[in-house]
Amino acid sequence: MRKQIVAGNWKMNNDLSQTKSLIDALKSKTKTSNAEVMVAPTFTNLSHASSVLKNTNVEVIAQNMHFAENGAYTGEISASMLKSIGIETVILGHSERREYFNETDELLAKKVDAALAKGMRVIFCFGEELADRKSGNEETVVGNQIKNALFHLNAASYQNIVLAYEPVWAIGTGETASPEQAQDMHAFIRKTLADKYGDNVADEVSILYGGSVKPANAEEIFSKPDVDGGLIGGAALNADDFFAIVNAF
Ligand code: PGA
């Protein structure tokens, strides 16, 4: 059975004291669903968050990492550094990384390899832009993003891969893909995996939806058969909203 996952991506928000307050609020919430819960604070607050949330049902994960083991890469963080503070999961390929930091499929393939080599789990993000959808190219774009960054992997690697479909036009815009649009794309993603790796691999990979998920729309989106959870931005900064989404399963 593939896992249900709700992950909060805090992006470049929350200084240390705000992070402490949000964590306190999260700890006071009750989880009534079976979903795995994760939060991704910014790098400076990861160590604090990971020690405070250790042995709770909220996993602390990273928003990004570099592909190199160590060395002259000013400003970067490696997989080993993350592991040394208890981080076992990393988000890679978020559209903001692709757009503002020029991360390409080729670079992301190297990051995925580096994370998997350290035994980390990867939440791999991808999604089309508005122009792609308007021109009817969304499946081609998404298919290529997956093939270019992930199809060099062997089937066993997918035990540590979670996919996150995030249409760029729905991120932080308040505009959500309809549950049908999300389901159609998730089914296409699963078929893309099945064509390459077979049904067993495709059926076991969790595919999250991201893009303006809120308490008001989470239940309907999560009710779709190929939607296994969500990657949540804005709504993850509020503990009540985040747990309403977690409990929407
Ligand atoms: P949003 O962000 O929920 O604020 O749209 C989603 C994401 O970027 O992961």
Side-chain angles (χ1 to χ4, degrees), residues 54 60 92 196:
K54 202 173 181 174
V60 176
L92 293 176
K196 166 84 175 166

Side-chain angles (χ1 to χ4, degrees), residues 9 11 94-96 125 166 170-174 210-213 231-236:
N9 174 9
K11 309 191 180 183
H94 192 280
S95 65
E96 288 148 17
C125 307
E166 299 203 300
I171 296 178
T173 58
S212 299
V213 177
L231 184 56
I232 319 300

